[in-house]
Amino acid sequence: MLVKEYRICMPLTVDEYKIGQLYMISKHSNEQSGGGEGVEVVRNEPCTDPKHGAGQITEKRIYLNSKLPTWMRKFVPMVFYVTETAWNFYPYTITEYTCSFLPRLQVKIETHFLNNNGCSENVFDDKPTPKDSVCFLDILSDPIPDRHYKESEDLSHWVSEKTGRGPLQDCWRNSSKPIMCSYKRVTCSFEIYGFQGRTEEFIHRNIRDVLLVGHRQAVAWIDEWHGMTLEEVRQYEKKLQEETNSKLKNDINGTDLSASLPRPSFTRSISVTDESSLKKMGVKTLDISDASSHPSSLKNPIRLNSTPE
């Protein structure tokens, strides 16, 4: 199990980001959908919790076969998706990812949003994250994959006409006003002997990239969402979800999957829990308790887990 706490600051207030987050996630999901891959929204509806009160639950299917490393594609079916379930009790959220094909994969993301520059400790009210497991991500200077770079989202050039903020400069986190921080505790576990370490590291690398890109976009797009009401951004969210679902379904229905997706080197799909198959491949196995025994309540969620939220 690999646990890290990411802290990402933005020149926004927590109240502003309540709108910006919803706008960013919807637009980003729409942009990333195409060619049979992307995000399909299964449900998005109000919910309540005894501790956190009223909130919103969102369930999505994320199709991403081609984004997996080559060695991992050998173990997945031709059409592969992850289910993301998110409970939004802003300024606290929980996001979990489940995958029926990889039942021992567990990812859970807890988030707190605070109006400070990332200086708070133990924001999750249980025990402080060890210093060597805390990672500050800088939306100005930290590198992102080349395929995600857009000059219009480069915050060293960005200026907001509506708010007068920007561009960001070195050491902006200590001088910018307003300032807020997104505290994210990410727990990742893949209990398969021989694959655990590199799979967990691979997932954390991708989560880091998603967090950087998403938070950069929320700031860069501020003139598109600043001033929207919660009702207006929910309407925008609904419109984009319908467009994204339609585009994704049309791509999947109209695509020759056998030609467009990489074919596994095995003649049949195998599950990594198929012990006999793993032994034939020379992979040693361990007797690990079934992860499906976890209860599904919010107090102890199913930890197979949202974008970067």
Side-chain angles (χ1 to χ4, degrees):
M1 179 181 296
L2 188 56
V3 181
K4 291 186 179 182
E5 182 180 313
Y6 298 94
R7 300 182 186 179
I8 314 102
C9 291
M10 292 174 287
L12 307 171
T13 68
V14 170
D15 286 342
E16 287 174 333
Y17 189 57
K18 184 174 185 177
I19 303 298
Q21 179 194 39
L22 295 173
Y23 183 93
M24 174 270 294
I25 291 174
S26 298
K27 182 175 178 179
H28 180 82
S29 296
N30 185 271
E31 287 187 346
Q32 295 299 307
S33 296
E37 295 194 343
V39 180
E40 176 189 8
V41 179
V42 179
R43 63 172 171 157
N44 186 6
E45 58 195 30
C47 66
T48 57
D49 178 70
K51 179 179 179 180
H52 303 292
Q56 193 85 1
I57 182 172
T58 307
E59 182 180 340
K60 302 176 182 178
R61 290 180 179 177
I62 306 171
Y63 296 83
L64 40 55
N65 189 287
S66 71
K67 295 179 175 60
L68 296 175
T70 303
W71 61 267
M72 188 179 288
R73 290 182 216 170
K74 296 179 180 180
F75 298 95
V76 302
M78 299 293 277
V79 178
F80 171 71
Y81 67 85
V82 170
T83 298
E84 175 192 279
T85 306
W87 293 266
N88 188 342
F89 302 102
Y90 200 87
Y92 173 70
T93 66
I94 304 170
T95 308
E96 299 185 344
Y97 296 91
T98 62
C99 176
S100 59
F101 186 76
L102 300 174
R104 298 194 190 281
L105 174 64
Q106 305 177 24
V107 179
K108 176 183 176 182
I109 302 176
E110 295 175 89
T111 305
H112 267 300
F113 302 105
L114 296 177
N115 283 313
N116 62 36
N117 67 350
C119 58
S120 296
E121 303 297 335
N122 196 23
V123 298
F124 299 101
D125 296 327
D126 43 24
K127 60 180 180 180
T129 304
K131 293 290 186 182
D132 58 358
S133 295
V134 174
C135 180
F136 282 88
L137 302 183
D138 192 331
I139 58 175
L140 171 64
S141 59
D142 281 357
I144 61 173
D146 291 342
R147 68 183 182 278
H148 292 307
Y149 177 83
K150 294 181 181 179
E151 187 174 356
S152 61
E153 297 169 6
D154 188 330
L155 300 182
S156 64
H157 306 306
W158 157 79
V159 176
S160 167
E161 293 182 2
K162 284 188 175 181
T163 65
R165 301 171 200 172
L168 298 187
Q169 300 177 349
D170 291 344
C171 301
W172 68 273
R173 189 164 61 89
N174 296 321
S175 59
S176 179
K177 294 187 182 303
I179 187 78
M180 66 162 287
C181 183
S182 174
Y183 294 82
K184 292 185 175 288
R185 181 166 63 184
V186 180
T187 304
C188 175
S189 176
F190 186 57
E191 297 178 339
I192 297 296
Y193 182 79
F195 295 92
Q196 182 170 0
R198 59 178 175 175
T199 300
E200 292 174 355
E201 288 289 350
F202 167 78
I203 292 172
H204 272 283
R205 285 197 304 271
N206 279 269
I207 287 174
R208 174 194 176 279
D209 290 342
V210 169
L211 292 178
L212 273 172
V213 172
H215 287 77
R216 281 165 58 107
Q217 290 175 332
V219 174
W221 296 342
I222 189 172
D223 286 346
E224 299 179 28
W225 58 261
H226 197 273
M228 295 178 73
T229 65
L230 183 59
E231 182 179 1
E232 288 171 338
V233 78
R234 286 295 185 192
Q235 287 297 318
Y236 174 84
E237 182 183 48
K238 181 179 179 181
K239 175 178 177 291
L240 265 288
Q241 287 174 1
E242 292 172 352
E243 291 180 6
T244 301
N245 285 1
S246 177
K247 178 166 56 175
L248 187 60
K249 289 177 181 178
N250 288 339
D251 285 342
I252 292 176
N253 292 336
T255 299
D256 180 2
L257 293 173
S258 63
S260 62
L261 295 177
R263 182 173 297 277
S265 58
F266 307 106
T267 57
R268 65 181 180 93
S269 295
I270 65 166
S271 166
V272 291
T273 57
D274 183 347
E275 185 175 358
S276 62
S277 296
L278 287 172
K279 287 182 177 179
K280 289 179 182 178
M281 293 156 45
V283 178
K284 297 181 179 179
T285 61
L286 294 178
D287 183 16
I288 305 174
S289 59
D290 188 354
S292 64
S293 60
H294 291 286
S296 58
S297 67
L298 279 178
K299 294 183 179 179
N300 188 13
I302 300 173
R303 299 177 61 188
L304 296 180
N305 195 18
S306 263
T307 258
E309 265 176 34

